[in-house]
Amino acid sequence: MFSTCTTDTMASTESMMPSGCKIFTTMPDILFIPEFVFGGLVWTLVASTKVEPANPQGWVMFVSLFCFLFTTFWFFIFITGINQNSIWPSLDVGYHSLSAFFYLSAAVLLANVTIGKQGLDKVYQLDIAAVVMAFIVTLLYWIHAIFSAHRWKSS
């Protein structure tokens, strides 16, 4: 039922999707870790600043929180081996493409808000860091989506 960190030939015969500890050694699944780290940083940095104006910053918070929680859920699906069905490669591409698109929109909005705050706020450096991290997370999700699409096409 659940795969372990030992050598498991069942996963390789059913699907090209890794499970268990193999996700820490395969591309694009190794990207889960930096997606957690940088996505969590975006969430933390935006949450620690003054949420003004509320509308764009609210979208950034929604995207960072949604992607962080859903990536955690996705990670547990992969680690437990539930992803061994033929539909999972396409779901993986879809999720990471949607996340990349969401993060791109959030990063652009966050950059626009940050440019408007230049020199007006003491936490301007936190806003700059959040923008940089948001674009890094966008890049990570796009790379994950591209490699997942390659895996989907070859499966």
Side-chain angles (χ1 to χ4, degrees), residues 1-150:
M1 182 173 160
F2 295 108
S3 63
T4 60
C5 293
T6 61
T7 56
D8 186 0
T9 58
M10 187 173 83
S12 63
T13 59
E14 289 182 14
S15 167
M16 290 184 63
M17 300 294 284
S19 61
C21 289
K22 291 179 186 174
I23 67 170
F24 296 113
T25 61
T26 59
M27 189 64 164
D29 305 308
I30 191 96
L31 294 174
F32 277 124
I33 304 304
E35 289 168 2
F36 284 136
V37 172
F38 290 108
L41 282 172
V42 171
W43 176 22
T44 305
L45 288 168
V46 173
S48 68
T49 62
K50 190 174 184 181
V51 181
E52 212 176 282
N55 197 15
Q57 295 287 62
W59 173 249
V60 174
M61 283 299 292
F62 167 77
V63 168
S64 60
L65 184 57
F66 170 80
C67 289
F68 186 83
L69 293 175
F70 207 83
T71 299
T72 303
F73 174 68
W74 207 252
F75 176 74
F76 283 118
I77 286 173
F78 274 64
I79 205 90
T80 58
I82 298 171
N83 63 332
Q84 297 304 306
N85 193 328
S86 62
I87 194 161
W88 285 99
S90 57
L91 289 175
D92 195 35
V93 173
Y95 167 66
H96 284 94
S97 298
L98 180 68
S99 295
F101 177 73
F102 275 6
Y103 251 110
L104 180 62
S105 68
V108 169
L109 284 172
L110 187 59
N112 188 35
V113 168
T114 302
I115 289 170
K117 288 174 139 182
Q118 187 174 8
L120 301 175
D121 201 12
K122 292 181 181 179
V123 292
Y124 179 65
Q125 288 81 13
L126 291 176
D127 291 329
I128 295 274
V131 169
V132 170
M133 297 303 158
F135 279 108
I136 289 172
V137 175
T138 302
L139 180 63
L140 288 169
Y141 276 113
W142 275 121
I143 291 169
H144 201 141
I146 290 167
F147 277 100
S148 293
H150 178 65

